[in-house]
Structures are given as structure tokens and as C-alpha cells.
Amino acid sequence: FQEISRHVRQLLGTEEPLFNRSIALPYRDNMGLFLERKSLSGKKADALTFSQFIQEAGLEPHATVPTLQQTQARAEADALLVSQGTQTQD
């Protein structure tokens, strides 16, 4: 079951909900928070839409926290640009 959950999170681009998460870290991504709310059963959870959740929670519509993979990819791309920039300056 955990393996399936991990693959679903990868497909959706959401991060794993860690219970020992530091409050110093940025907020979790909107989709992860929404799916956590939708995981509850009942009419209210079934009727909840993503835009309604964003509005009720007072979140920014497009605010997402990049996943670790996205952060690493950006760092690699930045390092490549820096190395290319130093090569052209020589």
C-alpha cells in the first residue's frame, strides 16, 4: 500500500505528508493539502472542489512548494548555466 501511495504522489507531484515536519519549512503544496482534505468521507468532502478549498483556506491559487526532485533539477540546471557562463568568459 505504501508503494502505491508513493507512486501516486510522484504522479501528482505532491510531497509525502510527514508528521514530524518542521514548522520552519514552507507550507506544503496546495494539491497535497486538498487531497488530504478530500480523503475524508462524507457529503461535505465529496462536494469540495479545489478552487473552493483554495478560497476557504485563504491560500494563493498557484502557490505550490516544489518537490525535492524539482528543486534538485533546478539546482542542476543553475549549476549548468553557471558552468557555461564561466566557460564563455575565459
Side-chain angles (χ1 to χ4, degrees):
F1 185 73
Q2 290 177 345
E3 189 72 17
I4 294 170
S5 296
R6 184 174 60 80
H7 286 294
V8 169
R9 280 193 302 275
Q10 285 177 340
L11 290 171
L12 294 174
T14 60
E15 60 184 35
E16 184 174 1
L18 301 175
F19 296 101
N20 59 352
R21 181 178 164 85
S22 170
I23 61 170
L25 294 173
Y27 290 117
R28 289 187 37 224
D29 60 298
N30 292 347
M31 183 56 74
L33 293 171
F34 172 69
L35 293 174
E36 192 174 288
R37 177 74 64 87
K38 288 289 282 186
S39 69
L40 303 174
S41 60
K43 290 180 182 181
K44 190 173 182 179
D46 290 344
L48 184 66
T49 64
F50 184 68
S51 57
Q52 180 184 8
F53 168 75
I54 296 296
Q55 185 178 19
E56 288 176 3
L59 301 171
E60 293 292 322
H62 300 290
T64 58
V65 175
T67 64
L68 179 59
Q69 293 168 337
Q70 291 170 333
T71 304
Q72 288 172 339
R74 280 195 197 120
E76 290 170 2
D78 290 344
L80 180 62
L81 288 174
V82 168
S83 69
Q84 288 175 344
T86 57
Q87 290 173 358
T88 58
Q89 290 177 357
D90 291 338

